[in-house]
Amino acid sequence: MARFSRSDFTLESFRRQLANVDALPQLCVLGLVSGVITGTVMVAFRLLLEAGAVLYMPEGEPEAFEGLSPWLRALLPIVAVTLIGLLLYRQRSAARKLGVSHVIERLTYHQGRFPLRNWLNQWWVGVVSVLGGLSAGREGPAIHLGAAASSGLGLKLRLPNNSLRVLVACGTAAGISASFNTPIAGVIFAMEVVMMEYTLMSFMPVILASTMGALVAQVMYGNAPAFRIPEVALGSLMNLPWIVVIGLVIGLMAGLFIHISRSQRLQTLPLWLRLGVVGVGTGVLAWWFPEIQGIGYDSVAAALNNQLAINVLLALMVAKLLITAITVAGGVPIGIIGPVLVAGAATGALGGMLGGWLWPEKAADPGIYAMLGMAAMMGAVLQAPLAALMALLELTHTPTIMLPGMLVVVVACLTSRQLTGCEGFFISSVRYGLHPLQQPLMQALSRVSVPAVMERQLVRTERMITLDQARRLLETNPMWLVIERSSEDKPVLGLKAAELARWLLEHDEALDGEAPPEDELIDLLEIPGQRLEMAPIGLQATLSEAFLKLQDSALGALYVVHGYRPKQQRISGIITRGAIERYYHYTDARQTDARETDS
């Protein structure tokens, strides 16, 4: 029976285990805690929306814009963009980054570390955007708040950066799950859109986080599906060609949406003009069509049940999609998934009505097409077909819709990518699609932290030492000598201990039994051997960070700094290019063997 000591259950031991690539039990524990934290945060955000709606919305319903007077609902977007302009745009540009794009950027370029100010801004901006009548969803704030809260747990515990990446995915999945009661879609979205990888080490913690997030939300709001729809079926297979046509149309609309939202011409306009266009444009549209305001889930439910007039469906299809894109281009950080679902459902419902007019005997119910349009638009805009299909299943609780759903989603995704040249909305927003985590090497190196491969056998020494000091240095059989310099502007150097041992043997042989001079000193910079110039790297860093840092041609190695106070830091190990290459080749060989075994 294995014996465990108290040291096996310390936080320091937990950190060491997380640094390795096979820390699945530890990551699962983090997933559970992350799900509870994120679920609680999302319940708090939804309660905040409901509390704000009590002030002026009919019956305290956050989406009841139809019950407001035309003047009030037209004025709300102008007030919302004014508040965002005055309170958000007075801050520095880094603090204005919010939502899913910000999450992907922090994961990609900052190892999943989130600034506190951005997180606090997301709370009030998310509430103002939705309650202010802008065409905005709550999933953007949900993902940002959940991912940052989970990452904050890792930072508080000083966990290695490779585990922060998993925590960000856990927070993302739990945020989606708790916000929309879609735990499977939350998992797929986190892996497909944010992490961009499917690995066992990430999947299981994310599943646990999404489960816990959904459970916390269900305790508060119950487990009913987001939309209640009647029992409908596709019927004749003659509907499939028409579904393909609708997928083509939605793919083109998705491409148009992305092109407008990323329009450089709009983004270069003065801030006051951009915000003015968003506020006034939304207000004018809301005067006649209040359905375009807010998230629009009530409109989706009505479209699924054939309760919307054709003019309202046209407004949701065209006006809501365009005003959402213009809002993004105008610099207002909003969630786009909710509005995209609404526009897709309206497009599908209109397509279903047209099909019923052309083929009344064979055409399926327009509600079926509304479901398909919802998934197709989400998949095409995000370039995330699996997430869209899972959202379709969980939002409607209609398994029979999956076969035509797969067809329409693939057609829409291909059309958006191939005919309009658009990548996924969130990828195109992060440095124009140059996403380092799409590179297999960087993905592999980001899964493990430097303690897993660093060489720990080292001793620190000054440049000038005596013979006795040299022999004492070698008593512990170190692999490396870390030569500290006289001033901080001079680089720390690394010398293999074997070089010093060889020099001592040659020196003793040269003396031929004679006693060495008492004041003889050894200059470690002069003895024969290769000295590597080194730079520091934190103990929490991933191998991908070390790999990028070692691209500097002047550096031969990195010394790993341990400790959180400058005067108490110590060197825990050394990591070289060779150590990183050995790890990668070993991992790659295992993956190759596994593929060969499977085949």
Side-chain angles (χ1 to χ4, degrees), residues 119-337:
W119 189 71
L120 295 175
N121 282 336
Q122 182 64 87
W123 284 92
W124 70 265
V125 171
V127 171
V128 168
S129 298
V130 175
L131 295 183
L134 297 176
S135 180
R138 68 177 180 225
E139 76 292 325
I143 293 168
H144 183 181
L145 294 175
S150 298
S151 174
L153 169 68
L155 291 175
K156 188 70 175 177
L157 298 178
R158 296 171 180 170
L159 302 182
N161 290 348
N162 63 317
S163 60
L164 291 185
R165 296 181 66 254
V166 178
L167 279 170
V168 169
C170 289
T172 298
I176 290 285
S177 176
S179 184
F180 304 112
N181 196 20
T182 54
I184 302 177
V187 173
I188 302 300
F189 182 92
M191 307 304 294
E192 192 172 25
V193 177
V194 177
M195 291 283 282
M196 297 186 186
E197 64 178 41
Y198 293 97
T199 61
L200 179 65
M201 294 300 154
S202 301
F203 238 126
M204 293 182 68
V206 171
I207 290 172
L208 288 173
S210 187
T211 302
M212 296 307 298
L215 286 175
V216 172
Q218 287 177 13
V219 167
M220 187 69 184
Y221 295 102
N223 61 353
F227 308 117
R228 296 189 180 277
I229 58 175
E231 290 292 334
V232 290
L234 183 63
S236 173
L237 294 179
M238 294 298 293
N239 286 282
L240 293 181
W242 191 239
I243 288 173
V244 172
V245 173
I246 291 177
L248 287 168
V249 172
I250 289 178
L252 293 174
M253 291 175 61
L256 176 65
F257 172 82
I258 294 176
H259 279 301
I260 294 176
S261 64
R262 300 297 168 216
S263 171
Q264 292 296 308
R265 180 176 298 180
L266 289 175
Q267 293 175 359
T268 55
L269 294 175
L271 175 63
W272 66 269
L273 182 57
R274 284 184 279 140
L275 295 180
V277 168
V278 172
V280 174
T282 306
V284 169
L285 291 171
W287 180 280
W288 287 282
F289 297 103
E291 292 85 359
I292 66 129
Q293 293 185 286
I295 305 172
Y297 271 12
D298 55 343
S299 298
V300 172
L304 294 175
N305 288 277
N306 303 318
Q307 296 172 350
L308 293 180
I310 292 179
N311 62 333
V312 175
L313 290 173
L314 284 170
L316 293 175
M317 171 184 170
V318 179
K320 188 170 183 67
L321 193 72
L322 291 180
I323 200 62
T324 304
I326 292 171
T327 303
V328 173
V332 182
I334 60 169
I336 60 103
I337 297 179

Side-chain angles (χ1 to χ4, degrees), residues 54 60 79 89 126 144 165 219 260 283 288 309 417-418 420 435 517:
V54 169
V79 174
Y89 275 88
H144 183 181
R165 296 181 66 254
V219 167
I260 294 176
W288 287 282
R417 177 178 286 271
Q418 300 301 323
T420 69
H435 199 305

Side-chain angles (χ1 to χ4, degrees), residues 485-502:
R485 311 301 293 279
S486 57
S487 62
E488 293 183 357
D489 59 333
K490 295 180 180 180
V492 175
L493 299 177
L495 174 69
K496 283 290 185 73
E499 306 285 4
L500 177 59
R502 185 181 300 108

Side-chain angles (χ1 to χ4, degrees), residues 514-577:
E514 297 181 6
E518 293 184 1
D519 57 349
E520 183 178 4
L521 292 176
I522 304 173
D523 186 348
L524 294 179
L525 299 189
E526 296 297 332
I527 67 173
Q530 181 183 12
R531 276 157 287 273
L532 302 180
E533 185 173 318
M534 299 194 297
I537 191 169
L539 187 69
Q540 296 167 298
T542 61
L543 289 189
S544 61
E545 294 176 83
F547 178 81
L548 293 174
K549 202 163 189 176
L550 284 171
Q551 298 308 301
D552 185 345
S553 57
L555 292 178
L558 303 171
Y559 61 92
V560 182
V561 178
H562 187 199
Y564 308 99
R565 297 180 181 177
K567 294 184 178 181
Q568 298 180 358
Q569 288 182 341
R570 64 180 187 271
I571 298 176
S572 299
I574 289 178
I575 186 165
T576 62
R577 289 188 181 91

Side-chain angles (χ1 to χ4, degrees), residues 88-153:
L88 185 65
Y89 275 88
R90 287 181 177 273
Q91 303 180 40
R92 65 180 189 272
S93 59
R96 302 198 294 264
K97 296 180 179 180
L98 309 173
V100 183
S101 298
H102 178 62
V103 171
I104 296 175
E105 179 184 359
R106 299 306 298 187
L107 180 67
T108 306
Y109 303 106
H110 303 278
Q111 303 302 321
R113 297 167 178 263
F114 290 82
L116 178 60
R117 176 173 291 186
N118 298 64
W119 189 71
L120 295 175
N121 282 336
Q122 182 64 87
W123 284 92
W124 70 265
V125 171
V127 171
V128 168
S129 298
V130 175
L131 295 183
L134 297 176
S135 180
R138 68 177 180 225
E139 76 292 325
I143 293 168
H144 183 181
L145 294 175
S150 298
S151 174
L153 169 68

